[in-house]
Amino acid sequence: MTFISYLKDGISLGSIYAIIALGYTMVYGIAKMLNFAHGDVIMVGAFVILTAVTKAGLSPLLSILLAVVLCTVLGVVIEAVAYRPLRKASSNLAVLITAIGVSYLLQNLALLIFGADAKSFVTVIDVPTLVLFDGQLTIKGITIVTIAACIIIMCALTFFVNKTKPGRAMQAVSEDRDAAQLMGVNVNSTISLTFAIGSGLAAIAGLLLCSAYPTLTPYTGAMPGIKAFVAAVFGGIGSIPGAMIGGILLGVIEIFGKAYISSQVADAIVFAVLIVVLLVKPTGLFGRNIQEKV
């Protein structure tokens, strides 16, 4: 039963990584940009919820909606101000450095506004605990909500990308940006929509992360953001199902590493597994090779 308990914790943590990784994989798959500030948008969303509940006295539902809206706007602003001018840069290094700069900017703004002290996150999701096998297995309400949210978001995104007009526009921009523009697709709006969706998901991920691990600092989103990027690469960056599977596998590996090997080297094990996977299959588990004409 201990094994099942660890597996449950791993799937829960992996579901959080998967939701964050969906933002990474959408932005890279469509805009071909690595948005390393994505993890800090998670932190912003969590601080918005905490402030709205404790300072403004809003209900949990309104606080969550406010966080999603503000993070969505923040994502669009970041894309328009920081990334759009560099879209035709000769090197991807310029975008990468800008993303790191935006990440540090958000962290330091949070330090100035909220301070460096760790904040205790409020209880926003109140779902009863599920007790199975005469009390031998306990599943917290937040675990159930996290796994369900991950599955629903993945299914909704898959439907959106494959069955709606904006989703097909995203696929067209991902395949050939110039050809899509010639066919009447508004490339700027499509990429902005991608950043908006990714940032909205980051707010939800921030809620779930801080509900499961209720400590909030300006650096809360940094390591989960990096691990979610690893999950996106692990599953095949650009693949929505790949991001989900990669995130869940990463969470399970991390929890089992902490439980059966050592909590001190659990992160190292995660990155070592990534290296092995990329050596065997460089495109990730669900990635595909794309041939470019030169």
Side-chain angles (χ1 to χ4, degrees):
M1 201 59 67
T2 304
F3 176 85
I4 296 176
S5 180
Y6 287 142
L7 180 63
K8 170 256 302 179
D9 292 339
I11 293 173
S12 176
L13 178 61
S15 296
I16 296 173
Y17 290 157
I19 294 172
I20 305 170
L22 285 169
Y24 274 115
T25 205
M26 285 194 68
V27 168
Y28 183 82
I30 293 159
K32 299 296 183 288
M33 293 179 181
L34 293 175
N35 180 22
F36 279 114
H38 190 65
D40 298 289
V41 178
I42 297 167
M43 172 268 298
V44 171
F47 268 119
V48 169
I49 293 172
L50 179 64
T51 305
V53 172
T54 58
K55 304 293 185 184
L58 295 181
S59 67
L61 181 59
L62 284 177
S63 301
I64 294 169
L65 291 175
L66 178 64
V68 170
V69 170
L70 289 181
C71 285
T72 299
V73 173
L74 177 62
V76 172
V77 170
I78 289 173
E79 189 277 327
V81 174
Y83 298 146
R84 189 177 298 177
L86 300 174
R87 200 175 291 164
K88 294 185 179 180
S90 57
S91 171
N92 289 331
L93 189 61
V95 179
L96 182 62
I97 293 171
T98 302
I100 295 171
V102 173
S103 173
Y104 280 120
L105 174 65
L106 293 177
Q107 287 178 11
N108 284 278
L109 283 175
L111 275 171
L112 285 172
I113 297 170
F114 301 105
D117 296 335
K119 308 289 190 298
S120 181
F121 199 71
V122 294
T123 302
V124 177
I125 299 173
D126 188 14
V127 176
T129 300
L130 184 63
V131 180
L132 301 173
F133 306 111
D134 296 327
Q136 295 183 50
L137 181 63
T138 302
I139 304 175
K140 294 181 180 178
I142 184 62
T143 300
I144 299 170
V145 171
T146 300
I147 296 171
C150 178
I151 295 170
I152 291 169
I153 288 170
M154 195 276 291
C155 293
L157 272 181
T158 302
F159 176 82
F160 175 79
V161 170
N162 293 322
K163 300 296 183 182
T164 67
K165 188 175 180 180
R168 292 195 183 98
M170 288 179 177
Q171 292 185 56
V173 172
S174 174
E175 200 70 34
D176 191 325
R177 190 179 300 173
D178 294 331
Q181 193 164 13
L182 288 173
M183 295 300 292
V185 175
N186 190 326
V187 173
N188 287 335
S189 297
T190 302
I191 294 177
S192 293
L193 178 61
T194 306
F195 271 84
I197 293 172
S199 299
L201 292 179
I204 296 172
L207 163 69
L208 297 173
L209 177 66
C210 291
S211 295
Y213 306 93
T215 302
L216 180 58
T217 72
Y219 305 105
T220 291
M223 185 54 74
I226 293 172
K227 289 179 180 177
F229 173 69
V230 171
V233 176
F234 192 15
I237 195 159
S239 168
I240 292 176
M244 180 181 173
I245 299 298
I248 291 174
L249 286 176
L250 204 73
V252 170
I253 291 168
E254 182 177 337
I255 294 297
F256 280 161
K258 288 180 179 178
Y260 292 112
I261 301 175
S262 170
S263 60
Q264 296 178 342
V265 298
D267 291 344
I269 293 169
V270 166
F271 291 107
V273 169
L274 172 70
I275 292 170
V276 172
V277 169
L278 291 182
L279 286 174
V280 175
K281 198 173 188 298
T283 57
L285 297 177
F286 290 84
R288 58 191 177 93
N289 290 315
I290 299 176
Q291 295 182 351
E292 292 188 5
K293 293 181 179 180
V294 295

